[in-house]
Amino acid sequence: MAALITLDTQKQQNGVSEAFNIQELFNARVGDEQVPLVVKFLERGKAQQFEDGLVPFMSGFVGNLDDAGKVTAETGEPVSYTGTRSDIVGLGMVKMNLPGTMFPQEGYFYGFLGLETPDHSKRVSTFSVWFHVYNGNPDMFVNKEPFRSELQKELDRVEVLIEQTEGTIKEKLIEWEKLINDLITDKNIDLGLLESRMATVEGNLTILEDKIKADGLLTQADLNVALADVLKSVNEAVKEVTGGLTYLSNDMMTDVNGGYTDLQKLKEFKNSIDTDTNLTRIAFATDTHHEAESNWRPHMTSGLRHVLNPMYVQDVVDAVIFNGDNINNGGGGDKATANYLVQSFSTTVRTLIESDTPVLINKGNHDNNYKDATVFDDARSLPSQILSNAELAHYFGYDIKDDRIIRDGNSAYCYIELPNNVRMYVLDSYDTPETLDKDGYLDFNARQNSIYGQKQLQWLANTLDASKTTVLFAHNPVEQVFGTGNASNEVNHDVLHELLNAFVSGGNGTINGVTGITVKYTFDKAGTIAGVFTGHLHKSSMMVDHTINYVQTTCQAVYVDADHQEERNNKFGTWQEDAFDVIEIDPVKKHVKLKRYGYGEDREYDY
């Protein structure tokens, strides 16, 4: 999927002097033409407005790193590019089509990326960035660079074919069509640089058409048929790669994997959301279980399609949260697949952001790729087999600076202030230590163990504010309330349960957990919790414990508990294959309404 780099201008101005390493998101190759660099510029967490005619620019050196880890005039060649207003996509994003002259030799680019006026009279941001520039003219048939997809390599191959004038051009076009169709069948495709590659190929087809007209290699009729077939394959490849993830004008959309969206139903649902300013609204989706390919639950391949639906209402809610189990890979599957799925999910969410509404992604027990004890006799995992906490923090955006989101460093757990004095918490119920046993395996399995660490629980105790209406989200339900399974696997849930009870009661004290941890709290008065919202169990239910409403919402994936599986499967291919809630909170009347889109019913309660 095309990488989106997000930078906040204020962060650099606050004295961050280190260069940003963007190699995981962007790389280049010597002489590459029209290389798209997609960057979202924020200012204090909000989308950059590009006032005063600001445009993107990049300048620096390409060459070898010196002893200080930089490329200077002594070790590299100077390069620069100043964009135009046409590079501005909107919502703070720019797409710079960098020319081949930006990458004159192998090595590293080290320099500045930012915004300035075309006459260079004003510069509001200057980020130091660096990334790898790989050697040019690769042997595309054996090249294994991970950032080049198989589709890109075949398109490169086609460009070579187009340049060749010997032989029958029509046969070469047919060969290209077969290559693309084979790739579609194999699903060995990603989004990287696809748009620019397609533009390049279509431009070369135009050149080819002119050559054929001049040389008489084919009749115009034959050429038109051949080009139509090829361009049809290109369009189908684009659809396969993107999944059609746009809101089209037609009322019913089906993507290539069968996922279904009824745009008219979405419009009706959005129009039904109460826009009263006294209400606080949160779009809540959980257990999307996006899967690349699943023989036993094929419906899960429509996971990215389901991301569209809660994002469609983003401009009429105050926050959007995807509450964990965002992907279905797990149980010790290939880490590369898990990595691809997580990035696909995260980048799709970010690409769909079209408002200032904060969008949060939580962790679940499927996201990190630990082995599943129900599948493997030996369910121990090595560090190399999982997506680490740091990797998920990067992919899910916990390391992106946003002043609205209060985190403990780059923690998954955080809180955010919403209108009407509502504070929204996101808790990390897979706050799993990554310590190792004597054999080098991880001590804890986050696939099987829901864990709250002492650091997170003490942070929560320190930040809970009785003057706020509090709402909390976590992937795993609180064991003491729902009895989610083996209590020994729900580590420190007892402390969280007791802490929330203490918060709504008020007072001071210390909680001693069964694992030996202690959490101190001081609440001058009783607090108010509008609800604790969780997923994981794939069912909708509600319970009241110690005056606190604990609310379960079923999964976005077309899968539920065994009692309702056949009923839910019958919804596949309809607008009810999805399921998410918009939570409407009235802090004055102390009332909550959950409006359901898709499978299930509306619910409401007083608190």
Side-chain angles (χ1 to χ4, degrees):
M1 179 165 289
L4 176 63
I5 300 166
T6 303
L7 299 171
D8 194 307
T9 58
Q10 188 64 24
K11 182 174 182 179
Q12 189 71 1
Q13 291 170 356
N14 282 342
V16 178
S17 58
E18 296 180 0
F20 292 95
N21 178 5
I22 62 174
Q23 287 191 96
E24 291 187 10
L25 300 174
F26 181 80
N27 280 305
R29 191 173 293 281
V30 174
D32 273 359
E33 290 290 340
Q34 297 295 293
V35 181
L37 174 57
V38 182
V39 181
K40 183 169 185 177
F41 287 101
L42 305 177
E43 185 168 357
R44 299 180 185 273
K46 295 185 177 181
Q48 171 65 240
Q49 298 300 307
F50 303 107
E51 297 175 347
D52 301 325
L54 291 171
V55 297
F57 82 95
M58 177 180 280
S59 65
F61 299 91
V62 174
N64 298 318
L65 297 174
D66 61 17
D67 293 339
K70 300 180 180 180
V71 183
T72 64
E74 295 181 357
T75 60
E77 297 184 34
V79 294
S80 65
Y81 170 83
T82 299
T84 66
R85 298 291 289 183
S86 63
D87 292 334
I88 298 173
V89 179
L91 298 173
M93 290 188 289
V94 301
K95 182 178 180 182
M96 306 167 67
N97 288 312
L98 300 170
T101 53
M102 288 291 292
F103 311 114
Q105 65 183 29
E106 182 181 10
Y108 295 87
F109 171 89
Y110 194 103
F112 303 116
L113 167 65
L115 303 173
E116 66 177 6
T117 54
D119 62 1
H120 314 297
S121 62
K122 179 179 181 181
R123 180 176 291 181
V124 299
S125 60
T126 304
F127 294 92
S128 299
V129 299
W130 64 283
F131 54 83
H132 208 136
V133 179
Y134 289 87
N135 191 23
N137 301 315
D139 182 346
M140 64 195 70
F141 306 112
V142 298
N143 175 46
K144 300 298 183 183
E145 293 295 347
F147 63 90
R148 294 179 57 77
S149 72
E150 294 302 316
L151 179 58
Q152 291 167 350
K153 296 173 190 175
E154 295 303 342
L155 292 177
D156 283 336
R157 183 179 176 188
V158 170
E159 290 179 42
V160 174
L161 293 175
I162 289 173
E163 292 175 0
Q164 296 173 349
T165 57
E166 74 278 10
T168 305
I169 299 296
K170 185 174 182 179
E171 292 177 356
K172 298 184 188 303
L173 291 171
I174 292 172
E175 179 183 356
W176 181 30
E177 181 180 21
K178 182 179 184 302
L179 289 170
I180 292 180
N181 283 330
D182 288 343
L183 286 167
I184 293 172
T185 301
D186 294 338
K187 299 185 183 301
N188 188 11
I189 300 173
D190 64 42
L191 292 180
L193 305 181
L194 181 65
E195 183 178 349
S196 67
R197 305 300 292 163
M198 291 302 176
T200 300
V201 170
E202 290 188 24
N204 283 334
L205 284 174
T206 301
I207 296 172
L208 174 63
E209 183 176 6
D210 291 339
K211 285 183 179 180
I212 292 174
K213 286 179 181 178
D215 299 340
L217 298 177
L218 277 176
T219 67
Q220 185 64 44
D222 286 340
L223 175 64
N224 290 341
V225 171
L227 289 181
D229 289 343
V230 168
L231 291 177
K232 178 182 178 182
S233 292
V234 170
N235 290 332
E236 288 176 350
V238 172
K239 182 180 179 182
E240 168 72 13
V241 173
T242 64
L245 291 177
T246 55
Y247 300 112
L248 305 178
S249 59
N250 54 310
D251 287 342
M252 287 180 276
M253 301 181 288
T254 303
D255 72 14
V256 293
N257 288 321
Y260 187 92
T261 295
D262 187 325
L263 188 55
Q264 185 57 41
K265 288 291 186 183
L266 268 178
K267 290 178 179 177
E268 292 173 2
F269 178 77
K270 183 175 181 178
N271 290 336
S272 72
I273 296 172
D274 195 334
T275 57
D276 186 342
T277 56
N278 293 318
L279 299 180
T280 302
R281 291 162 289 270
I282 303 168
F284 172 48
T286 188
D287 295 84
T288 308
H289 285 281
H290 165 49
E291 181 65 281
E293 186 173 357
S294 177
N295 294 324
W296 63 301
R297 292 178 188 166
H299 303 337
M300 288 182 178
T301 57
S302 60
L304 292 186
R305 169 65 66 190
H306 291 165
V307 172
L308 282 167
N309 297 338
M311 293 299 288
Y312 185 76
V313 302
Q314 63 183 283
D315 59 326
V316 294
V317 298
D318 301 299
V320 178
I321 176 170
F322 293 92
N323 192 48
D325 279 4
N326 307 297
I327 70 169
N328 193 51
N329 197 71
D334 178 57
K335 180 179 177 179
T337 302
N339 192 67
Y340 164 75
L341 290 172
V342 165
Q343 291 190 68
S344 297
F345 181 91
S346 179
T347 307
T348 298
V349 171
R350 294 183 196 179
T351 302
L352 291 170
I353 294 176
E354 297 178 346
S355 69
D356 289 332
T357 301
V359 180
L360 303 166
I361 303 176
N362 201 2
K363 291 160 53 181
N365 60 309
H366 279 255
D367 296 318
N368 40 37
N369 204 49
Y370 282 79
K371 285 186 178 179
D372 185 347
T374 65
V375 176
F376 292 88
D377 293 332
D378 183 357
R380 296 179 301 169
S381 294
L382 295 167
S384 60
Q385 296 172 325
I386 68 161
L387 290 174
S388 67
N389 292 330
E391 287 174 309
L392 286 180
H394 177 65
Y395 294 141
F396 288 161
Y398 308 153
D399 59 355
I400 296 175
K401 175 65 174 176
D402 187 334
D403 292 338
R404 300 170 300 175
I405 303 174
I406 309 303
R407 299 189 184 275
D408 185 9
N410 291 342
S411 64
Y413 57 90
C414 63
Y415 73 81
I416 186 168
E417 306 289 3
L418 299 180
N420 303 308
N421 202 36
V422 173
R423 177 175 287 183
M424 171 183 173
Y425 280 89
V426 178
L427 302 182
D428 181 5
S429 53
Y430 293 92
D431 188 9
T432 312
E434 294 174 330
T435 55
L436 304 180
D437 65 17
K438 60 183 179 59
D439 297 321
Y441 289 93
L442 291 150
D443 282 322
F444 296 94
N445 186 332
R447 174 65 177 235
Q448 315 300 142
N449 298 281
S450 173
I451 299 176
Y452 287 98
Q454 176 163 353
K455 188 170 185 285
Q456 176 181 188
L457 291 168
Q458 188 61 64
W459 174 88
L460 177 61
N462 294 342
T463 58
L464 283 169
D465 186 343
S467 69
K468 308 283 185 179
T469 296
T470 301
V471 57
L472 302 102
F473 294 84
H475 181 74
N476 198 293
V478 179
E479 161 66 23
Q480 281 67 22
V481 178
F482 284 95
T484 53
N486 186 347
S488 64
N489 291 340
E490 319 299 325
V491 181
N492 294 332
H493 279 227
D494 58 319
V495 180
L496 174 62
H497 182 242
E498 194 171 338
L499 177 61
L500 297 181
N501 289 349
F503 177 59
V504 297
S505 299
N508 307 330
T510 299
I511 302 171
N512 297 303
V514 296
T515 61
I517 74 166
T518 59
V519 173
K520 299 180 182 298
Y521 63 87
T522 301
F523 304 125
D524 294 334
K525 62 178 182 178
T528 301
I529 294 180
V532 179
F533 299 91
T534 54
H536 186 62
L537 297 185
H538 295 192
K539 61 177 67 176
S540 292
S541 62
M542 293 194 297
M543 294 184 67
V544 180
D545 179 85
H546 205 83
T547 75
I548 302 172
N549 290 272
Y550 290 84
V551 183
Q552 276 282 313
T553 286
T554 191
C555 52
Q556 277 202 295
V558 190
Y559 170 79
V560 291
D561 57 287
D563 293 339
H564 300 89
Q565 184 61 67
E566 183 176 355
E567 173 190 349
R568 182 70 184 273
N569 280 347
N570 290 337
K571 304 297 184 182
F572 182 66
T574 77
W575 69 282
Q576 289 183 299
E577 72 174 37
D578 191 9
F580 74 91
D581 290 327
V582 169
I583 304 167
E584 298 174 349
I585 303 171
D586 188 331
V588 175
K589 296 180 180 179
K590 293 191 174 182
H591 185 77
V592 171
K593 181 174 183 179
L594 293 97
K595 293 183 62 65
R596 173 64 56 83
Y597 176 83
Y599 178 80
E601 307 293 337
D602 292 352
R603 297 172 288 172
E604 55 188 310
Y605 62 87
D606 294 320
Y607 62 89

